[in-house]
Amino acid sequence: MDREVLLLNPTIRDIGDFDVRRVLPAPQCRMVGPFVFFDHFGPVTLPPGRAMDVRPHPHVGLATITYLFKGEIMHRDSLGNEQVIEPGAVNWMTAGRGIVHSERTPESLRAGPVTMHGLQIWIALPDEHEDIEPAFHHHPAKTLPAWTQGNIPLRLIAGQAFGHRAPVSVFSPMFYVEARLGPGNRLQVPDEYLERAVYVLQGSIEVAGARVSAYQMAVLPPRTRPLIRSDGTATIVMLGGEPVGRRHLWWNFVATSRERLQAAASRWERGEFEAVPGDEESIPLPDQHPW
């Protein structure tokens, strides 16, 4: 294995309704380009009577990308947006100076088993956009660039890669691509970005001399042109971009300083964030903090 390839294994986190695999941040690698947080949940099927219920909680200093392979999530936020997220679509929520949102299983699906499988990613905003006004944009699956390279289906979730640009308005150079590989497939990782990684959702691959199994992320050496090889079927995402600088992360907040984290926590504790219309619950501030 190329000694410069860094393999990251997920930690398992309980979010109340089911477990998620958290790959970023990791002790060995805090960020890949602007990607500061990477959660993979499912595939999981919850029995009747159980559902996804992430109560309203705040964010600052980041943008979130929710991307589903199976299931549906009802997004509500403090700007008044209500949007059902469906497989293949993108919800891009810019927190900036502060936003509150909830993520729940739609009422129409709660009577039966609930199947969930998806990725939730946090993107650190560049310094000049850290306090931008919050915003929310939904991009249906049909609006995302999708094409076949050789016989490999690819879909551009966000950013720019392989000569395509996604409709999501990003704040720094980045790319985020889904690919479904078959036996004998070969795929070059985009080389126009300094920091890049490949995450395997299903199957296994080889990249830059490293064998990468399901639920592992390979952080790739800079300024190289690594080739992905697949002997069987595999579903992967490739991601990366230009670094935006060091970030502090605590609970649901991302910031350029610990003081900004503390200020956001104090605002939440004092009830100074806007509420989510129609969803009056909230997640309390954790007892433990880094200051």
Side-chain angles (χ1 to χ4, degrees), residues 52-284:
M52 179 178 184
D53 277 305
V54 180
R55 293 170 291 159
H57 57 280
H59 290 289
V60 300
L62 58 87
T64 65
I65 306 176
T66 304
Y67 187 76
L68 298 180
F69 301 98
K70 292 182 179 179
E72 295 182 8
I73 297 175
M74 170 61 79
H75 163 96
R76 292 186 176 91
D77 63 44
S78 51
L79 301 178
N81 295 296
E82 292 191 12
Q83 177 65 54
V84 175
I85 314 170
E86 298 175 331
V90 165
N91 265 20
W92 177 277
M93 186 182 74
T94 303
R97 63 175 179 79
I99 197 169
V100 180
H101 76 135
S102 64
E103 298 156 296
R104 300 182 184 270
T105 297
E107 290 295 332
S108 60
L109 301 180
R110 289 177 176 255
V114 174
T115 299
M116 299 294 301
H117 187 204
L119 298 168
Q120 187 167 87
I121 313 295
W122 295 359
I123 305 293
L125 298 177
D127 293 12
E128 64 272 22
H129 296 295
E130 189 173 15
D131 290 324
I132 197 171
E133 289 296 308
F136 173 81
H137 299 282
H138 176 75
H139 300 276
K142 64 183 180 182
T143 66
L144 301 180
W147 70 100
T148 300
Q149 187 161 310
N151 60 346
I152 303 172
L154 296 105
R155 178 183 294 272
L156 184 60
I157 302 170
Q160 187 172 357
F162 297 104
H164 297 269
R165 183 189 296 273
V168 178
S169 296
V170 301
F171 294 92
S172 64
M174 57 167 284
F175 76 105
Y176 182 19
V177 177
E178 175 194 357
R180 298 180 181 268
L181 306 174
N185 281 165
R186 303 292 184 266
L187 181 64
Q188 195 84 51
V189 179
D191 60 359
E192 61 264 41
Y193 300 95
L194 184 63
E195 297 184 358
R196 299 158 298 164
V198 179
Y199 178 76
V200 179
L201 292 106
Q202 173 269 323
S204 66
I205 61 168
E206 182 181 296
V207 59
R211 173 59 60 178
V212 191
S213 300
Y215 314 141
Q216 288 185 313
M217 178 178 286
V219 181
L220 305 173
R223 300 182 179 88
T224 59
R225 303 192 71 224
L227 186 68
I228 297 171
R229 296 178 172 86
S230 175
D231 294 329
T233 60
T235 303
I236 65 171
V237 291
M238 297 173 285
L239 56 93
E242 297 306 310
V244 295
R246 184 184 178 190
R247 289 295 183 272
H248 298 270
L249 189 154
W250 178 73
W251 194 40
N252 299 309
F253 306 133
V254 172
T256 51
S257 70
R258 287 182 180 271
E259 291 74 20
R260 283 179 172 268
L261 291 181
Q262 187 173 12
S266 296
R267 285 171 55 203
W268 181 246
E269 200 164 38
R270 294 193 301 264
E272 294 176 359
F273 281 80
E274 296 292 328
V276 176
D279 198 338
E280 303 306 323
E281 293 186 287
S282 65
I283 299 177

